[in-house]
Structure formats: C-alpha cells, structure tokens
Amino acid sequence: KQVNIWIEDIGIRDWARGLAKSSKGSKTIKSSSPVVGIISPESNFIFTNRKALSSALRVEAVTSSPIDIGQLGFKDFVGIISSSPLNVGKIENEGDINDRINRLKEQLGERIPLLETNLKTDPSNPMKHFNLALAYEQKNRLREAEIHYRQALRYSPENPMLHHSIGNFFRQQGSFLEAVRILKRAIELYPDNKDKVTAIVDLGVVYFQWGEYLEEADSNFSQAWTLAQGVAPGDFDIYSKIFHVWGATLARLGKVSKDERKLDEGIEKMKQALKYLEDFKGQLSRERKHSERETELKERQADLACDIGGTYFNKSREYYPEALIYLRKAKDYGIIPIMIRALYLEGGIYYEEAKFAQ
C-alpha cells in the first residue's frame, strides 16, 4: 500500500537516516500491522527514539484509518517512505530548524490547491493546517497564513516546533508582542537541544528588532551561547549565527549608551562570527557539501563584513580605514543587495571625509 506520513515535530532527526544507511538498501516494516512501507538511504526522513515515535508520528494508509505506529516495536520499526507530496518530514537535515522550515515552505508553495483539498479530509490535523499556512506565506497570502497557523497551534498546543515557526512568522510581520509570547512558549516546550538554542536566538532577534529591549536581547544571546556549547559542541554554523546577532546587539547598546567598551565587544563578537563561519565552511568542504550552500555562506559572510564595516563607520572618524576594509570585503562577495548597502556606507565615509577636509 501507499502511505501518507505526517510528522508533527520536525525537531526529531537522524535515527532513520542512520538506520537506512546501515541497512544498505530498503526493508519493510517487520510487524503484523497492515501498514507497509520502505525506507532507503535517499529518503531523508527524520525520526528519533521510541518516545518521539509514539507521540509525534501518525501514519495513514490510503485505504485505511490512521494508525499509531508507536505501538510498533522500536526494533521492528525499520522505517517508511511516503509517496505523498505532503510529507512534512522529507526535509534535508542541513542547517538549523529555520533553514529546514524555509526549504519546506519552498516545496509547498506550488501545492496550495492540493493542500486545501487535503485539509478538508482531516480539518483538525495541525500539520495539515501548518503545511497550508506555510504555502500561503510563501505566496504572500499572509492573512490566510495567520488563520491556519493559529489553527495549527489550537490543535497542537504542546508542539515546540509549531510555536517556534509561528513565532518567527509574527516576528517577520512586526507583531513583536505576539512573537515574544509564542517563542517563549516554544522555548519552554523544547528539550535542551539545538532547536531550543535557535528558538532562544530568534527570541533575542525579536527583542533586537523591537529596539527598546536590547538588554533582553543581550541576555537571550548569552543564554543561547551557554546552551549551545553543551548541546551543539563544535557546531560552528550555530555559533556564527549567535555571535553575529549578539555582536550587533552589543554594538547598538554601546552606541545608545555611549559605552565604548560594549561597542568594541560587539565588534569583536562579529569578527568571531566571521571566524566561526570560516570554520563551518571548512567542515562542509571536508564533507564535500560546500557547493550545496555556497551562495548562502557568501551572503552570510558579506552581511557580517558589511555590519562590521558599518559599525566601525558609526564609531568615529578615526576608524574609517577599518570600516573601508570590511566594506570592500563585503562587496567582493558579489551579493548585489549587500554590495548596494556597502557602497552606500562607503559613500557616507567619503562624504564625511570631504566635509572634514573643508
């Protein structure tokens, strides 16, 4: 039989992929269950342990009622592969949870009619609401996206991934109060893992963008860094993301409070973020994955260089030479929007120098 799979927690990962690779091929579920399926090393499904299986997965055969596969023995469960295009679990296990959600959003954007029809068959299924909301957001149908995001939370109020992703949706819409409320709940629900680190960072970004809560943002990034060292040792990708926004926060705090020490600390953290990003590129090169994420990494390097250059520019005139070094680095990466921003800042430097000379 063909089966459809809905994974209600994208935070679970690695178990099935590792199992598939070790099996050197495909196997069927060894169980008396009527559900039949296979998993292969190419399938990319992300499951984890017995608890996650029993609480987070529901499998539905095309011709049968939903079955809780938590009843299957962990050793007997080899895996399942779905023919359904709606499988929310089929996400490459690269990057943090936001990267995975964004890739899923791109996959679902062209499937709105199918997703709408599918929801009618099970209108209380939180993941069907979530998938449809992602597709609406991808197509900038934001009001409809919000309706279905709220429905997803209504039907799955204890799911940290849903709270996390939906909190970020409200942040992007500028609804900071709602974003803070939902992201705080995500952090409460997550176990101590990398996804929790990302949620703490995202809450800090809300405070940073809000502008009035820079101290809270600083506290969040400090908390994220402490947790990351324990749950994601050597993960230079997440380290770089933490230090970038943390450094920008400290630099803004230093400028607002006229605290030179804090501003310098912010610059050093952003420089450290660049170093972590280089370390991450090295990791990907060794794993022969660098080409898959080359554009993303260039954008992040250019953005960091531009932020460092802009901070030096805003610090004082004596730091203009350092500002120019980083702004030129930012331009060298060839990312057009960031090149424009760097050119604008460069123009500001030359304008200020011309005024000073006069």
Side-chain angles (χ1 to χ4, degrees), residues 58 119 121-129 151-152 154-156:
R58 193 175 76 171
L119 178 61
T121 67
D122 189 4
S124 61
N125 186 305
M127 291 314 300
K128 291 185 180 182
H129 282 286
Q151 286 292 86
R154 175 189 171 195
Y155 290 118
S156 188

Side-chain angles (χ1 to χ4, degrees), residues 14 18 36 51 61 110 114 119 132 134 159-160 171 186-187 202 207 233 252 259 264 287 316 323 327 331 338 345:
D14 285 345
V36 177
K51 181 179 179 183
E110 302 303 322
L114 185 59
L119 178 61
L132 183 55
L134 285 173
N159 187 312
R171 173 181 64 81
I187 293 165
D202 289 341
Y207 286 131
R252 187 181 292 181
D259 185 337
D264 288 340
E287 297 169 8
S316 70
L327 292 174
K331 290 191 299 180
I338 299 173
L345 289 167

Side-chain angles (χ1 to χ4, degrees), residues 86 88 101-102 104-106 108-116 119 125-153 161-162 165-167 169-170 172-173:
L86 308 179
V88 78
I101 290 291
N102 287 334
L104 175 61
K105 197 184 298 179
E106 291 172 3
L108 296 177
E110 302 303 322
R111 297 173 180 165
I112 288 174
L114 185 59
L115 292 164
E116 290 173 333
L119 178 61
N125 186 305
M127 291 314 300
K128 291 185 180 182
H129 282 286
F130 181 67
N131 288 346
L132 183 55
L134 285 173
Y136 282 142
E137 185 184 350
Q138 176 70 9
K139 293 301 180 183
N140 208 35
R141 294 166 63 173
L142 301 178
R143 178 59 187 150
E144 292 160 291
E146 180 180 338
I147 290 169
H148 287 281
Y149 278 139
R150 291 190 184 279
Q151 286 292 86
L153 289 181
M161 180 278 296
L162 289 182
S165 182
I166 294 166
F169 168 78
F170 283 106
Q172 290 159 6
Q173 306 316 309

Side-chain angles (χ1 to χ4, degrees), residues 91-107:
I91 306 173
E92 292 182 13
N93 189 28
E94 299 293 343
D96 63 27
I97 189 168
N98 294 332
D99 298 326
R100 301 197 302 272
I101 290 291
N102 287 334
R103 282 195 292 271
L104 175 61
K105 197 184 298 179
E106 291 172 3
Q107 293 173 21

Side-chain angles (χ1 to χ4, degrees), residues 243-244 246-247 250 264-273:
F243 272 67
H244 186 173
W246 196 3
L250 290 171
D264 288 340
E265 186 183 352
I267 290 173
E268 290 308 309
K269 277 190 164 44
M270 286 189 281
K271 287 182 178 178
Q272 183 63 52

Side-chain angles (χ1 to χ4, degrees), residues 327-354:
L327 292 174
R328 286 164 184 162
K329 278 185 182 180
K331 290 191 299 180
D332 287 344
Y333 290 111
I335 308 300
I336 299 299
I338 299 173
M339 287 176 68
I340 293 170
R341 183 155 58 99
L343 284 165
Y344 175 81
L345 289 167
E346 268 193 326
I349 290 173
Y350 294 131
Y351 175 75
E352 291 298 327
E353 288 282 40

